[in-house]
Amino acid sequence: MDLLRLAGAEPLVPYSKVKTPWRARCLNENCRAEIKPTLDNIKHAGTGACLNCGAFGIKADDDALVYLMVHPTLAAAKIGIAKVGSRRIALHESTGWTLLTTIFMSGRQARAVERHVLSNWSALGLPYGVHPSAMPYAGYTETVSLDARRLDDVREDFDQALRDLAPERAARANQPSSLEVT
């Protein structure tokens, strides 16, 4: 598929579904890793297909963070990742999102934690929390409706991913928040 090649990867198997990991090989001669991007991530995140060496986004060894935000007016929660020092969180805050938790870790760990939470939400059949037009800085595919998932459960999803994938960071996430969403 042309979109996958434009993102820097060669498909190894035929295309399946937009959210199904697609076995591919990175086209970067210095990498050539076998990867499993989803078409949905490539299309909406604007990143390269390879998480190890992509020209865009967070590389595996970058200093990064994983964060949890809430938008009370939209009744939505958002998990996300960002490079340390980027304006990603500030951009979301400028559109009404409120930061609940930030945990520093490697890009590899941050992606794994985010993927764990998103996989859980997908397995539960939870809807996105916002329409793409409500996210001028992208990221709607990392949201969940707070009408479908209570904020306490969203926090527990985040904490469980940290316990499973970054246990040394999990204790820092267990800070109480005074923010209530009704």
Side-chain angles (χ1 to χ4, degrees), residues 169-181:
R169 308 274 193 235
R172 297 160 113 192
N174 295 322
Q175 302 163 1
S177 171
S178 61
L179 183 66
E180 294 295 322
V181 177

Side-chain angles (χ1 to χ4, degrees), residues 5 13 17 37-38 42 51 54 67-68 76 98 102-103 106 126 129 133 137 139 177 179 182:
R5 285 188 185 91
V13 297
K17 296 178 184 172
T38 66
I42 292 168
L51 302 180
Y67 59 86
L68 189 62
T98 301
T102 303
I103 306 293
S106 71
L126 299 173
S133 64
Y137 300 108
S177 171
L179 183 66
T182 56

Side-chain angles (χ1 to χ4, degrees), residues 71-140:
H71 197 301
T73 305
L74 298 176
K78 176 181 179 9
I79 187 167
I81 59 177
K83 285 184 184 180
V84 170
S86 79
R87 294 190 22 81
R88 185 86 177 139
I89 291 172
L91 290 172
H92 288 310
E93 287 175 326
S94 74
T95 62
W97 290 90
T98 301
L99 184 63
L100 298 178
T101 304
T102 303
I103 306 293
F104 293 89
M105 57 184 56
S106 71
R108 179 179 289 107
Q109 284 180 306
R111 280 198 188 278
V113 169
E114 181 187 52
R115 241 188 248 123
H116 190 285
V117 171
L118 294 174
S119 293
N120 182 46
W121 292 348
S122 179
L124 293 170
L126 299 173
Y128 294 141
V130 301
H131 188 272
S133 64
M135 300 283 301
Y137 300 108
Y140 83 94

Side-chain angles (χ1 to χ4, degrees), residues 27-42:
L27 292 175
N28 179 339
E29 291 298 324
N30 295 320
C31 181
R32 302 295 293 161
E34 185 170 316
I35 55 177
K36 294 181 182 176
T38 66
L39 184 60
D40 195 45
N41 285 345
I42 292 168

Side-chain angles (χ1 to χ4, degrees), residues 132-168:
S133 64
M135 300 283 301
Y137 300 108
Y140 83 94
T141 60
E142 293 88 38
T143 66
V144 67
S145 168
L146 291 177
D147 292 331
R149 188 89 170 148
R150 294 178 322 116
L151 183 57
D152 287 344
D153 294 329
V154 169
R155 283 181 162 287
E156 179 53 30
D157 298 337
F158 184 82
D159 292 345
Q160 186 62 51
L162 288 172
R163 286 191 297 272
D164 290 349
L165 301 167
E168 70 283 3

